[in-house]
């Protein structure tokens, strides 16, 4: 993100809640934190989480990780629930 190019059609653009960052519409609800504040992954705007919900440890993640990352021997949740409680 960064400065919004003037040539970019507005319908392609999602403005983040902080009103400074932006991302492309097709980056919304893809499970990755493109805004930095996860407003592109907001529960109000996106379908319900189909993966595992937890507080994540990586900046690139929001509060929903894909089921493929359950029990993969790699910590994704602060409480390790993706490795302990999550079922694929
Ligand atoms: Ca995203
Ligand atoms: Ca994991």
């Amino acid at each position: 993100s960064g400065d919004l190019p003037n040539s970019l059609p507005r319908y392609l653009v999602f403005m983040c809640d902080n009103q400074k960052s932006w991302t492309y519409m097709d980056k919304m609800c893809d499970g990755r934190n493109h805004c930095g504040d996860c407003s592109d992954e907001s529960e109000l705007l996106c379908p319900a989480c189909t993966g595992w919900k937890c507080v994540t440890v990586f900046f690139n993640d929001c509060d929903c990780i894909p089921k493929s990352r359950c029990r993969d021997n790699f910590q994704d949740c602060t409480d390790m629930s993706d490795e302990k409680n999550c079922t694929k």
Side-chain angles (χ1 to χ4, degrees):
S1 48
D3 285 341
L4 195 57
N6 284 328
S7 58
L8 202 60
R10 288 299 178 268
Y11 68 88
L12 292 176
V13 171
F14 174 78
M15 280 308 292
C16 302
D17 277 358
N18 62 25
Q19 297 298 313
K20 292 184 196 129
S21 316
W22 61 276
T23 188
Y24 291 99
M25 279 295 183
D26 63 0
K27 305 287 186 197
M28 276 181 73
C29 307
D30 66 351
R32 306 297 281 173
N33 180 13
H34 290 95
C35 278
D37 57 8
C38 282
S39 53
D40 58 311
E41 302 299 321
S42 158
E43 277 186 46
L44 298 172
L45 301 172
C46 301
C49 176
T50 55
W52 183 255
K53 262 181 92 87
C54 67
V55 179
T56 52
V57 293
F58 298 111
F59 175 75
N60 283 341
D61 294 324
C62 295
D63 64 355
C64 181
I65 62 158
K67 284 271 173 114
S68 59
R69 284 160 63 184
C70 287
R71 296 180 190 269
D72 64 350
N73 295 318
F74 206 81
Q75 181 181 7
D76 294 289
C77 301
T78 53
D79 60 0
M80 292 286 281
S81 59
D82 62 303
E83 298 302 312
K84 287 182 193 157
N85 307 332
C86 185
T87 48
K88 285 195 187 185

